[in-house]
């Protein structure tokens, strides 16, 4: 990685050790991830000794090809022993001429959450009662319309003339915001529509800007990735993301060996450790090999589309050209490459 590339990724390059040394002003909790990694390299279930080299390796994007290959080999060996099956750890870089974009037909989604479950299985997310991580969130929203009558006669409680809560065009107390955890007996429900959310792979990602050690960065195909080894667990990215896209491993992830997906990518679905952030990577282990993401594949109504924004023939480009499209929080100038559309 050249100096120029470093500049492109934002602030000056900061080494993790520099950061930790200068981090006296940060709270002890914010550094707990790093402290844990340094003091407790791997819990007892590992069947092999974790090599210290792993914890002290450079940030992945700054490693030479040779160093990268060594790291991948080491991880393949370690995971294969740990999970009792042959695990591959791919390091494929972004393909030339590809900029991934995603489009979701909000009119079609039936809120079944199959996408969320498929993502957990494909991407080796933690499961179980203690720590369940899902990169996709499906919001349930009430159907409704803003009428002129609502606006004129039901927008404000009583005679006060000021908005004190609830939706701007409904009386205070009526909740129209999305529900993150719904338990519908069957979907779609008559009075609801659904809005799945995941990482928007922003062109100007706030999470990248705030990361003090540049463990998260935007690859040339537009995917925002995380080098888990370099993450210090400060969780600034989680606070900065306006889309609630990042998750944090507060505990050691629970990933049953028999359910572990052995086809992994270094920057994607390889097993994570306690104290690191994670999020959707557009299934980097699949898409850099020309495959669809797991959520595109599983959606029963075909609401999800993935494509190359640089290719005029791609599904996503066709959506952008022919449908009614919007982006979430466009006012923030994050330029998401995740588009919602209607027919
Ligand atoms: S693109 Fe892949 S990683 Fe992202 S939400 Fe879909 S299944 Fe999960
Ligand atoms: S699988 Fe498709 S229909 Fe089901 S919640 Fe996800 S996007 Fe919606």
């Amino acid at each position: 990685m050249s100096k120029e590339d470093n500049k492109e990724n934002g602030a000056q390059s900061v080494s993790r050790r520099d950061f930790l040394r200068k981090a006296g002003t940060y709270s002890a909790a914010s550094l707990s991830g790093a402290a844990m990694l340094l003091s407790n390299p791997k819990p007892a279930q590992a069947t092999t000794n974790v090599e210290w080299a792993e914890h002290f390796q450079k940030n992945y994007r700054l490693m030479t090809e040779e160093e990268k290959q060594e790291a991948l080999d080491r991880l393949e060996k370690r995971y294969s022993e740990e999970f009792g099956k042959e695990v591959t750890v791919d390091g494929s870089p972004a393909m030339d001429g590809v900029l991934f974009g995603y489009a979701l037909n909000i009119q079609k989604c039936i809120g079944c959450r199959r996408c969320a479950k498929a993502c957990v299985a494909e991407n080796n997310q933690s499961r179980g009662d203690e720590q369940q991580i899902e990169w996709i969130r499906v919001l349930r929203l009430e159907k409704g319309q803003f009428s002129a009558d609502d606006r004129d006669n039901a927008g404000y409680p009583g005679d006060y003339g000021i908005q004190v809560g609830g939706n701007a065009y409904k009386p205070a107390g009526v909740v129209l915001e999305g529900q993150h955890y719904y338990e519908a007996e069957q979907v779609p429900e008559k009075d609801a529509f659904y809005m799945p959310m995941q990482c928007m792979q922003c062109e100007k990602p706030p999470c990248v800007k705030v990361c003090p050690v540049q463990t998260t960065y935007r690859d040339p195909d537009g995917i925002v990735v995380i080098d888990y080894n370099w993450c210090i667990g400060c969780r600034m990215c989680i606070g900065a993301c306006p889309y609630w896209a990042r998750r944090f491993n507060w505990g050691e992830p629970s990933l049953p060996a028999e359910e572990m997906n052995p086809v992994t990518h270094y920057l994607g679905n390889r097993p994570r450790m306690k104290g690191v952030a994670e999020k959707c990577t557009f299934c980097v282990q699949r898409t850099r090999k020309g495959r669809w993401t797991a959520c595109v594949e599983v959606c029963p109504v075909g609401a999800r589309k993935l494509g190359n924004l640089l290719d005029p023939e791609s599904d996503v480009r066709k959506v952008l050209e022919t449908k009614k499209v919007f982006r979430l929080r466009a006012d923030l100038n994050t330029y998401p490459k995740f588009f919602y559309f209607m027919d």
Side-chain angles (χ1 to χ4, degrees), residues 295-315:
C295 51
V296 165
E297 256 181 25
V298 81
C299 180
V301 292
R304 292 170 168 270
K305 311 274 177 213
L306 176 86
N308 180 4
L309 289 167
L310 306 180
D311 174 5
E313 297 304 315
S314 71
D315 285 353

Side-chain angles (χ1 to χ4, degrees), residues 220-250:
D221 55 6
I223 300 180
V224 176
V225 292
I226 304 173
D227 180 353
Y228 308 119
N229 275 58
W230 203 250
C231 175
I232 59 170
C234 68
R235 307 187 301 285
M236 289 191 182
C237 55
I238 293 176
C241 174
Y243 305 107
W244 307 309
R246 290 183 172 235
R247 309 283 179 268
F248 189 68
N249 286 279
W250 290 97

Side-chain angles (χ1 to χ4, degrees), residues 102 119 123 135-136 198 280-283 293-295:
Y102 206 110
C119 178
N123 289 290
W135 293 351
I136 296 181
Q198 58 209 61
C280 159
T281 62
F282 280 179
C283 288
T293 65
C295 51

Side-chain angles (χ1 to χ4, degrees), residues 106-334:
I106 200 157
Q107 270 177 322
K108 277 195 174 169
C109 174
I110 56 171
C112 65
R113 302 191 73 257
R114 285 192 179 96
C115 49
K117 290 186 190 128
C119 178
V120 167
E122 167 68 29
N123 289 290
N124 289 324
Q125 285 145 38
S126 181
R127 54 208 78 170
D129 293 338
E130 283 197 14
Q131 179 179 244
Q132 200 172 12
I133 289 185
E134 289 183 351
W135 293 351
I136 296 181
R137 197 181 287 242
V138 183
L139 263 62
R140 175 189 181 278
L141 298 120
E142 282 178 35
K143 273 189 186 157
Q145 289 199 348
F146 295 144
S147 67
D149 191 47
D150 278 347
R151 186 189 59 219
D152 297 339
N153 302 317
Y156 301 100
D159 300 325
Y160 299 113
I162 52 167
Q163 179 63 34
V164 294
N167 184 276
Y169 296 122
K170 292 280 177 186
V174 175
V175 178
L176 284 182
E177 286 85 9
Q179 291 176 337
H180 295 228
Y181 305 102
Y182 58 91
E183 282 186 41
E185 277 179 18
Q186 64 178 45
V187 289
E189 300 153 282
K190 192 163 76 51
D191 299 319
F193 70 96
Y194 306 92
M195 174 180 256
M197 292 174 67
Q198 58 209 61
C199 175
M200 307 271 148
Q201 317 295 352
C202 306
E203 278 300 279
K204 292 191 174 178
C207 52
V208 168
K209 268 193 209 159
V210 299
C211 178
V213 290
Q214 295 177 31
T215 193
T216 187
Y217 53 96
R218 178 194 173 284
D219 255 352
D221 55 6
I223 300 180
V224 176
V225 292
I226 304 173
D227 180 353
Y228 308 119
N229 275 58
W230 203 250
C231 175
I232 59 170
C234 68
R235 307 187 301 285
M236 289 191 182
C237 55
I238 293 176
C241 174
Y243 305 107
W244 307 309
R246 290 183 172 235
R247 309 283 179 268
F248 189 68
N249 286 279
W250 290 97
E252 193 64 38
S254 162
L255 178 57
E258 64 280 8
E259 292 174 28
M260 190 253 180
N261 174 9
V263 182
T264 77
H265 192 286
Y266 182 91
L267 296 169
N269 62 340
R270 72 180 167 105
R272 273 77 75 191
M273 44 294 230
K274 181 177 171 181
V276 300
E278 59 179 75
K279 64 164 196 73
C280 159
T281 62
F282 280 179
C283 288
V284 64
Q285 67 282 357
R286 288 172 160 244
T287 45
R288 286 191 182 168
K289 303 277 184 206
R291 295 181 63 198
W292 299 121
T293 65
C295 51
V296 165
E297 256 181 25
V298 81
C299 180
V301 292
R304 292 170 168 270
K305 311 274 177 213
L306 176 86
N308 180 4
L309 289 167
L310 306 180
D311 174 5
E313 297 304 315
S314 71
D315 285 353
V316 172
R317 278 288 292 274
K318 289 196 171 139
V319 165
L320 296 184
E321 277 155 29
T322 58
K323 308 287 182 185
K324 284 183 245 164
V325 174
F326 69 96
R327 300 202 263 200
L328 270 193
R329 297 304 313 268
D331 54 313
L332 295 178
N333 293 334
T334 51

